[in-house]
Amino acid sequence: NGLICVLHDITEQEKIDAERREFVANVSHELRTPLTTMRSYLEALADGAWRDEELAPNFLEVTRTETERMIRLVNDLLTLSKMDSTDYQMKVEWVNFIKFFHRIIDRFEMTKEQNVTFQRNLPDQAMFVEIDEDKLTQVLYNIISNALKYSPEGGQVTFSVEERGKWMVVSVSDQGMGIPKKSIGKIFDRFYRVDKARTRKMGGTGLGLAIAKEIVDAHGGNIWAESEEGKGTTISFSLPYERAEEDEWS
Ligand code: ADP
């Protein structure tokens, strides 16, 4: 029995080591891509393109975009590594999720550039949950950014919140191209993208949903996706919820 335990530990450890190696390989690759792009553009500029009034601003713009991608990536990596650390602590508070969610949707509504309409199916009454507001803001930010990114011109993004037994379920639906069945289980993995080339062009890091999952897990909830190709995608997550007594919060 002792031997089996040792073997079990070894395979667990091997699995963790393999995952870590894969993660480092992915990070290196993700950083190398923008760096090599920037190097070639900078070399061209140094070799004389800087004198070309048309090429120079264009090449500088590319290096700026690539720099921004690297900053996003490094920020996402820092978020993940903070959450992975053993002394990670969340700052939880009781928050009226409905008010909080409206505020976040408002912010997207004010800044969105696409022609996309928003539909809010949120209850009128307050729903209090114990959450780390900054972390949940990031979850919603990542999910809503994707919904907008993949929405077609004139599409609709629907936000909903409902009570399901001891859970509050939050969903964001879009009418985008959807996610193939074989990929649906993987989109919460670090660095997974359905279409690498396309999403890289759209500025994604492949970490947004992995971060969202870490945060929702840390709150004791679940996150999942439902999607139909060509029709749209719904990303939902649940948080532990207990309805307050009538006058508890008044
Ligand atoms: P990224 O930064 O690439 O968007 P995410 O972790 O946020 O990374 O998402 C992982 C992948 O899941 C995306 O690259 C995309 O292929 C797919 N995906 C996520 N949300 C949607 C959506 N609303 N519609 C279609 N595909 C999506």
Side-chain angles (χ1 to χ4, degrees), residues 107-237:
R107 219 182 301 157
F108 273 94
E109 196 142 45
M110 273 190 297
T111 54
K112 74 177 156 63
E113 286 161 3
Q114 302 95 320
N115 173 22
V116 169
T117 54
F118 282 3
Q119 165 75 34
R120 309 184 195 205
N121 299 336
L122 309 192
D124 294 328
Q125 77 279 17
M127 286 178 82
F128 280 87
V129 281
E130 206 174 13
I131 55 167
D132 182 323
E133 222 182 295
D134 287 345
K135 290 278 172 289
L136 252 299
T137 300
Q138 178 150 27
V139 170
L140 288 167
Y141 181 87
N142 292 355
I143 296 174
I144 300 170
S145 307
N146 282 341
L148 283 172
K149 203 153 64 177
Y150 297 107
S151 276
E153 176 71 14
Q156 178 172 294
V157 174
T158 308
F159 304 90
S160 54
V161 176
E162 56 181 89
E163 183 183 342
R164 268 188 224 162
K166 291 215 171 289
W167 301 97
M168 181 183 78
V169 178
V170 183
S171 310
V172 178
S173 306
D174 63 61
Q175 300 175 324
M177 84 275 271
I179 301 167
K181 274 214 166 52
K182 64 173 173 24
S183 302
I184 250 193
K186 300 186 194 145
I187 59 168
F188 299 100
D189 293 350
R190 295 176 181 192
F191 293 116
Y192 184 81
R193 299 183 184 98
V194 174
D195 175 343
K196 283 218 175 220
R198 189 195 65 205
T199 45
R200 186 169 292 135
K201 228 182 332 186
M202 286 175 143
T205 62
L207 292 175
L209 289 177
I211 291 174
K213 180 171 163 42
E214 292 265 337
I215 296 172
V216 171
D217 283 352
H219 281 83
N222 279 305
I223 187 164
W224 66 94
E226 289 151 288
S227 186
E228 203 176 323
E229 272 188 280
K231 286 248 170 77
T233 302
T234 300
I235 306 285
S236 309
F237 64 88

Side-chain angles (χ1 to χ4, degrees), residues 34-97:
L35 278 171
T36 48
T37 308
M38 283 161 68
R39 183 176 58 192
S40 17
Y41 281 88
L42 289 172
E43 274 169 5
L45 283 164
D47 288 347
W50 64 272
R51 287 193 208 87
D52 188 314
E53 273 174 37
E54 257 175 50
L55 283 184
N58 188 350
F59 285 10
L60 284 170
E61 185 53 34
V62 173
T63 56
R64 201 220 320 248
T65 314
E66 293 300 314
T67 312
E68 262 150 26
R69 178 207 303 291
M70 283 179 53
I71 292 173
R72 266 200 308 275
L73 178 63
V74 170
N75 281 337
D76 281 355
L77 287 168
L78 279 173
T79 305
L80 277 174
S81 96
K82 263 190 227 144
M83 299 212 52
D84 283 346
S85 78
T86 45
D87 58 351
Y88 173 71
Q89 284 194 337
M90 291 202 296
K91 292 190 208 70
V92 291
E93 280 177 293
W94 285 99
V95 172
N96 173 4
F97 194 87

